[in-house]
Amino acid sequence: MKKKVVSLLLVAAMACSLAACGNSGSGNGSGSADNGSGTEVGTDGGTVAAADGTYTYRGYQGALATNWNPHTWESNADDAVIQYITTPLVNMTILNTDTQEYQWIYEAATSVEDVTADHQDDLVTYKSVLPAGVEAATDVTEGYVFEIGLRDTMTWEDGTPINADSYIYSMQQMLNPDMKNYRANNYYSGDYAVAGAYDYYMSKDSGFYVAYSDKYASTEEAAADNNAYIDVYEFYNAEGYVDADGNEVPQYVSITDETKYSADGAGEDEFSGADLWAGYGPYFTPEGGYDNVIYSWADNDNMGVGYDVVGFYKVDDYTVRYVCQYQVEKNYLLGQLASAFLVNEDKYEANKDTTGTLVTTSYGTSADTTMSYGPYKLASLQDGKQMVLEQNENWYGYTKDDNGNLISMTDFLVDGQSVQQYQTNSIVLDVMDDDSAKQAFLKGQLSEWTPSADDLPTYSLSDQLYKVDETYTMRLFFDTNLDDLKEMDSSKGNTNSVVMSNVNFRKALSLCLDRSEYVGATQGYKPAFALLNSLYYYDAYNNPDSQYRNTEAAKQALVNVYDVAYGEGTAYATLDEAAASVNGYNLTEAKELMAQACKELVDAGLYTAGEDIYIRIGWAAGGLTSSDNQQISLLNKYVNAALEGSGFGKLTFEAIGNITNRYSDVANGEYAIGWGAWGGAAFYPYGYFRVFFDPDYTSLHEAACWDPATETLTLNVNGEDVTMTWQQWSQSLEGVGQFANESAEVKCQVLALLEESFLEKYYCIPVCSTTSCSMLAYQLSYYTQDYNIMYDFGGFRLIHYNYTDEEWSEYVDSVGGTLSYE
């Protein structure tokens, strides 16, 4: 029976948070209808497991997860563990496989009801933002206050009950202003923010330096403002300032400050705020050009407020209310509630460290610091080697059969019947390289295996191969800061990495990539010429055909970036033809740009013509694979072809693996180039660019290149020029953003303009979109063979086994110890 991948027929909210690709594990393919021995196996999922058998899922990763705390996790590998050991309030699964329908199901929750009409006072109490044109909370009857009924049989793995207090504590800790948790932005920011959450999260900050959105009308007006400051670091693009006594100078200096500071080599031997203003004040007026370095201080009016300002509160022991900052459709809120944030109070508190500037906790980093409330619990962990999870006997969904085995049947219907879920008894995750994983899989020792680029052709016709597109776009991302690059050349192993500071060099690097050839060295990835791929929908609920990449705005952005003309007298008559022609490859232009870049760098005294270049790339969390090495070899081939005749010497890229966090390492000046991806939130792309432009939302991978909080961008929207900082643009499509209440078409236009504008900076270069290509062992099958973006092939929940562990071992032995999947 051959599998088929179907198009999207129905839409619903997916996960609301974006995640960086961990690049450290195997795929998540699905199963087959053939068990490998010629016996047909049913795929309806309705058969209950044999009572006398055990079922073990054996996976592998290049590097194990290190942090599965739901408040601070960062990578795919971390999130994968969270899915096993937590139970979200709601989830999504199959309703009907024949019609490709999905359904929302209640898990830790028993109900989610919109009670706005009965609790309009909550909008005032927690300072919700009313829709445009609405003056009073009494005029709003839906979309703000949601009452969540909690399942009263939920417990922690040790049997301790979970109730409303557990959820209130967890939200308070997620937003804890003393901790500044990484995942807190999902609750204090964006369209699904909890009302009042931001005020509480920022309650320990006395105030903020706020960039002026408009220039002063005159130098006198600014000079008279005692609350006006100059960002000295930005003005000089340097650090290391000291006062007359050798003390480090503040980043922001008052315009009226007469204190003298020294800025060694920064353009002034000695200066003060008043000196700078006197010399450069005219540039800050409407005729000038340095408005971005002018700030004002805003006191925090919410300094010291407590959690009582947060609109997530207890109603009774098993009911809580979620008050939204902005009006939201219920389906989108359900997507937010599908993410887990519950933590165990005892272990969370016991593992806190209060010795640093911020309070931290090691909760969720080891077996001892973890408490499950999901279908599985962490049984053992060998750092860097193996993780074992086993069924959590205190999970609400399990019952015991006559032999003491844990069995769970769905309390919802799939294809009209209750089916068995979580048949897997234990999960074993081992650290393996690709070659070891292949051998283990063929010997029946792994449940899944991700073939390398070399192996894919061998198994391309196998019924056990599952290939599914993902939202992640792999990209080369950069540190273009000249001081950082010079430091890398002098002390961190690079040679002439200063070339990365030149935009023409980076653009040439993009144009020299033969992405169609490159993906042949990957595990089935697809060429990518932009950041958002074909899985993103701009108006999913109202228009199932609203695929972003198919819009005129997205197509225009693409042809603009790659300078493809269309119309009369050109090679392409229409925009559609021009966009379809884009392949990202133009070696002729790349060579011209390289020659131009070489001249610019030589003229600037940054590079000596003919010298070789050596740049280390922060590549992977785990060890390098054969596929990784093939990809680096291709990158070296492409760039050196573009360098021919340019004046540059030979360039060598070296990939570096086993890096704990390559994303932050690039931002912190350890590597000039990183390799990684952002992905997720396919049905809500309007917050996508916050991970690129909004440093208050998350740690930016390209942070060393620029300051999007102060740099401005002018775009023409609906025929009018609009100027905002890049950070403000990233926020403009959500919440109270300038375009948040516009039509989906207008928001899509803004999204496309942002994508085009950012790509043209070449702070990162999209290369390929990931796919999940994996082989599934004959021992097990997924519920359905028909993929749907809403529920995959049924997910881990509905996996069912064709053999017990004992039967599987016997079968493998019977065929000589080596399986054939070709």
Side-chain angles (χ1 to χ4, degrees), residues 129 131 140-144 191 324-329:
V129 178
V140 179
T141 59
E142 62 181 4
Y144 278 94
D191 276 0
C324 298
Q325 184 76 25
Y326 311 105
Q327 192 171 42
V328 62
E329 288 186 48

Side-chain angles (χ1 to χ4, degrees), residues 62-99:
L64 290 179
T66 58
N67 172 30
W68 43 95
N69 177 352
H71 296 179
T72 57
W73 71 272
E74 296 189 36
S75 74
N76 297 21
D78 296 336
D79 188 36
V81 177
I82 292 174
Q83 304 310 310
Y84 293 130
I85 65 174
T86 66
T87 301
L89 291 162
V90 300
N91 216 327
M92 183 181 286
T93 191
I94 299 170
L95 176 62
N96 187 301
T97 52
D98 290 337
T99 58

